Each structure stands twice: as C-alpha cells, then as structure tokens.
Amino acid sequence: MELKFDTSKTYAIALEGGGAKGAYEAGVWKALEEAGVSYHAVAGTSVGALNGAMMATRDLKTALKLWETISFSQVFDADDEQMKKIYDRNLEGLDIKGLLKDFVGILKDGGLDIEPLKLMMMEYIDEERVRESDIEFFFVTYSLTDKQEVEIDAHELEEGKLIDMLLASAYVPGFQRRKLDGKEYVDGSVQNIVPIDSLLKRGYKDIIMIRIYGLGFEKKTKIPEDVNLITIAPKEKLGGILQFDPESTKKDMTLGYYDGMRMLYGLYGEKYYIDRQWTEMQAYLALKTLSEKGMHKAGSLREFNERILPRFARKMKVKEGDYYEVLIRFLEKQAELAGISPFQIRTEAELLQEIIENREK
C-alpha cells in the first residue's frame, strides 16, 4: 500500500464541534500519526477544542483512552444504564417515572449538571503541557454577555483558566452554564462550528479540516487560492451528539481511522476501503466474468457492452464507461449484503474472494 499524502509538509488542523461525534476526530488523528503527518497548529470548537487540547500536547494515547472508555456519567450527571436504554430504544426495565422526575429537576436546575465533564477535562488535559507546547492551539466560544464570538489563544490565556474556557466552548444548550469573570458563555458552535478562519488569518497554507457534522453554524469563510485545504469527513452516519457510550464512540473512532487511511493512501470505495491494484481493463474483464457466471448473462460481447454494462452503471449510479467504479460499487453492494465488515483494507481481488467464500458457506 503506497502513501499518497505529502508528509514532507507541516499542517494545521481544524476540528469541528459535535459532542460524542468527536471520537471520529481521534480516529483520524490516529491514522495521521501512524503515517507520520506533522502539524504545528490546531483550532477547534466545543469537542473539537477538547480534542485540540490533547493534539496540542501530541497525546494521542490519552485521547484514545478517553474515547474508548467514555460514558454518559463522565460528561453529565446521568445513569449510564438508563441512558444507554434510551439510545438503544430498549424500553424494557427503563425507569420512566424516575426519568421524568429527573427531567423536571434538570429544568429547575437550569440544565444538565456537567461537573463530571470538568473533572474529566482536568484528568485528561494537562494545562501546563498545553501552554508549553510548540503547537499553537486556538479555540472558540461565544459570549452571551458581549454577544460575540470569542477566539482564545491557549498560549496567551491567563494561567489556570484553560479548563474553564474549554468548558465554556462546550456549553451546549441544555447544559448548566457558570459565569466566568462575570460573563456568560455558550458553545462556540452557535457562531463558528469549525474555526478554520483561526488558521487562515494566521497565514497557514496547508490545512486538514476534520468534519463530524455537529449541530451549529458554519461560518462563511473564503478559502484563498493559495491554500491547500484537505477535508476528511464521514460518509456514514455517526452516533448522536450526546451518545457518550463506548460502543458508539469506538465505532465512530474506527470509522475516523479508516476514513483517514482512505485520504492518506488514496483508497477507493464509498463504504469499503479498497487498495487499488487493477486497471480499467482488469475491472472490465472482472465485470465480464461476473456476467458470464450468471449474475447478468449476456448472449454476446456486444450485448454485454451495450446492455449489461450500462445497466450495471445505472444501478450503481456510476458514470457509464468508468469500469473500475462500476466494479467497486458492485463489489461493495455484494459485500454489504453478505454482512462483510468494511473495516479492513483490501485489494479488489481480496474483497471479491471474500464475497465468493461467503456465498459458498
């Protein structure tokens, strides 16, 4: 497998806000780290700020541990078992009366108590290491008091304020908010969910933007022509914003890792991860063989070219004549029907062989 990404450059990284979906960002980071991608600046909002603080200290190991073990009760005052039942839509054993009582209490208290989140940040984020890091780290929140976005440079922040301001960046609606220095803040996503502008205005030219499609406002930002912007984003739906369940976050982290690998190594496929080895002609011959084996029998070569291949292309929603894309989409569909996990990098021949073996069982 050949690396297709330029690791001779040093990049800046923009991280989107999106709660529990932030596990995806950690997965992408793991892929970047394994490939030897270096970075000298990070900008994030909300959970992107939390991940950014760990990226600023290059502490991937800690980030992976956080997202592999996180639970609802580590973020807000909640019963993990009851919350999981809600997300799994499992009503058996669900304490409805207790939940309603808790909900009324939450409303009276002004929202969910996120003291656990603060304690978790204090455990996983080392302010001194962030301040001393050679990685520039910026994050945003929104001041309700001043009615404006607030961008924070971690290196210039008053000592002892990092955790509180990171928390301010993550005050999503429904969370209890505490005033800081007499001012009230809310999640930075209400104004700037992916703060790429923090990097652009400082002159960074090579930027990796990791999207997780959280809830918030995407600031209109003009990308200069001389900026090389690489976007990594999920094609599959991630877990819920408040789905702080290790089963869900591990899945999102795995997806992020493989999507990162897709970008780094130029892998093919929509859902699967294909290390391309075949030419267009080899793909054409493979499609012809599949047709001859009875999937869509053709009476002649002309019939195959004029009827079967266009039908394949339409069904797979691929441009006619792109034999390789038609083949890959077809293999992906067959693999999905066979229940084959996408989380493995395969060549076309390996995926085809796995599909055949699965059919023979």
Side-chain angles (χ1 to χ4, degrees), residues 16 85 108 125 158 185 189 227 341:
E16 184 173 356
K85 285 180 180 292
K108 287 182 179 179
I125 296 171
E158 183 182 340
Y185 296 90
S189 296
V227 168
S341 171

Side-chain angles (χ1 to χ4, degrees), residues 272 316 328-338 355:
Y272 289 74
M316 301 302 144
I328 292 304
R329 294 289 181 86
F330 177 76
L331 292 181
E332 285 192 299
K333 183 66 175 177
Q334 296 303 310
E336 191 171 5
L337 290 172
I355 293 168

Side-chain angles (χ1 to χ4, degrees), residues 1-2 4 235 258-259 261-280 283 322-329 331-332 342 344-348 351:
M1 192 164 62
E2 182 183 351
K4 302 294 176 65
K235 295 180 181 180
Y258 279 95
D259 282 354
M261 296 291 279
R262 188 197 301 282
M263 183 275 293
L264 290 163
Y265 293 91
L267 303 177
Y268 284 74
E270 288 291 308
K271 183 172 183 178
Y272 289 74
Y273 302 87
I274 311 300
D275 178 20
R276 181 170 182 171
Q277 303 294 313
W278 288 353
T279 63
E280 284 287 314
D322 192 337
Y323 304 131
Y324 190 82
E325 279 298 322
V326 172
L327 175 67
I328 292 304
R329 294 289 181 86
L331 292 181
E332 285 192 299
Q344 181 180 324
I345 297 172
R346 305 170 172 90
T347 63
E348 314 88 341
L351 183 57

Side-chain angles (χ1 to χ4, degrees), residues 284 288 298-306:
Y284 171 83
K288 186 172 180 295
S300 65
L301 183 60
R302 180 175 179 177
E303 184 182 5
F304 174 70
N305 288 331
E306 295 183 359

Side-chain angles (χ1 to χ4, degrees), residues 26 29-30 33 39 50-67 123-126 129-130 133 135:
W29 179 14
K30 181 183 177 184
E33 192 76 14
Y39 56 93
L50 170 62
N51 283 329
M54 291 183 284
M55 289 193 81
T57 58
R58 298 186 176 88
D59 197 352
L60 174 61
K61 184 178 179 181
T62 292
L64 296 178
K65 178 185 175 184
L66 184 156
W67 289 110
E123 177 184 354
Y124 284 92
I125 296 171
D126 187 328
R129 286 183 63 196
V130 172
S133 174
I135 304 294

